[in-house]
Amino acid sequence: MPYVIIPWLALYALTSTFASHGTNFGMPFEDHLPIIGWTALSYQSIYVAIALVPWWVRTRRDLRQLMISSWMSMAVIFPFYWLVPSSAPRRPLQGHDWITQVLGMERIAFPPIAAFPSFHVLWAVFLARAFRPRWIGWTYAAVIAVTCITTGQHYIADVLASMVIAPAFMEPERTWRILRYVIEWPAKSWNKAPRNSAVRG
């Protein structure tokens, strides 16, 4: 809670103070898709899954990997949100059942900003890696990805962008080694380059 969830909430609150609008990355037909209210239960289950992570993750290594992936994704994606503001769809809610009301409360708590890429999908992908057996985790991640659209919380592009970048955060050590190599390569190349000896007159 203090290492991942609270920092994420603080960064999101900071983002919401100056990113009141942004570009939407949706396709025209998406603004006319119906909202399927009952899928909000699956969509919002991610909050429960994250809160209970310390009790269902099998090993400390999995928990540590999840924490590092979360840190790395926040360090990269929140600055991206600030540089490239994005917005999410807010299609009208239909119905007056309690599920629809809960979804409406979430819309009030989380404004339609910082949509591309979807952090909701990233959380689901990170959790999928810790699930045992794995197929359950990946099925859950797929359900979350679909419900991001059926609840009208995200566009398709928001979801796909998260799936594309998620592997870089799921293997943070390998990603760090690649980044370090890319950063250090020019310096190493310069040091290996032959030096022309000075010509003495």
Side-chain angles (χ1 to χ4, degrees):
M1 181 74 73
Y3 296 130
V4 175
I5 298 178
I6 292 178
W8 187 92
L9 290 173
L11 287 168
Y12 187 88
L14 174 65
T15 303
S16 65
T17 60
F18 59 83
S20 58
H21 63 278
T23 303
N24 70 64
F25 291 88
M27 293 171 278
F29 77 90
E30 294 183 73
D31 291 326
H32 303 287
L33 292 175
I35 291 179
I36 305 174
W38 61 267
T39 61
L41 291 178
S42 298
Y43 175 83
Q44 293 168 334
S45 68
I46 194 73
Y47 304 128
V48 178
I50 292 172
L52 297 180
V53 157
W55 288 272
W56 63 260
V57 169
R58 284 173 172 258
T59 67
R60 292 176 64 88
R61 183 181 182 278
D62 287 339
L63 188 60
R64 177 179 176 274
Q65 194 82 11
L66 180 60
M67 186 169 61
I68 294 174
S69 295
S70 301
W71 284 345
M72 194 170 182
S73 62
M74 287 188 285
V76 172
I77 293 175
F78 274 103
F80 179 80
Y81 286 157
W82 303 336
L83 295 172
V84 186
S86 55
S87 61
R90 282 297 187 266
R91 301 192 296 276
L93 295 176
Q94 298 178 352
H96 302 283
D97 56 280
W98 66 272
I99 300 177
T100 303
Q101 292 177 3
V102 170
L103 183 57
M105 292 172 59
E106 173 161 348
R107 289 186 170 190
I108 296 173
F110 296 98
I113 60 165
F116 180 92
S118 165
F119 235 113
H120 216 84
V121 174
L122 279 177
W123 288 129
V125 173
F126 294 162
L127 294 178
R129 182 177 182 177
F131 270 99
R132 298 292 186 278
R134 287 285 177 84
W135 69 266
I136 295 178
W138 292 115
T139 301
Y140 179 69
V143 169
I144 293 296
V146 171
T147 58
C148 282
I149 300 166
T150 59
T151 56
Q153 296 296 101
H154 282 281
Y155 286 116
I156 295 174
D158 304 336
V159 172
L160 294 179
S162 295
M163 292 181 174
V164 168
I165 66 175
F169 301 121
M170 291 176 65
E171 296 286 349
E173 291 88 353
R174 184 175 62 182
T175 302
W176 171 249
R177 287 196 299 268
I178 294 173
L179 289 174
R180 189 174 61 180
Y181 175 80
V182 171
I183 293 171
E184 294 177 350
W185 179 79
K188 291 181 178 179
S189 299
W190 174 260
N191 291 333
K192 291 180 180 179
R195 301 290 192 273
N196 292 327
S197 57
V199 179
R200 296 182 180 179

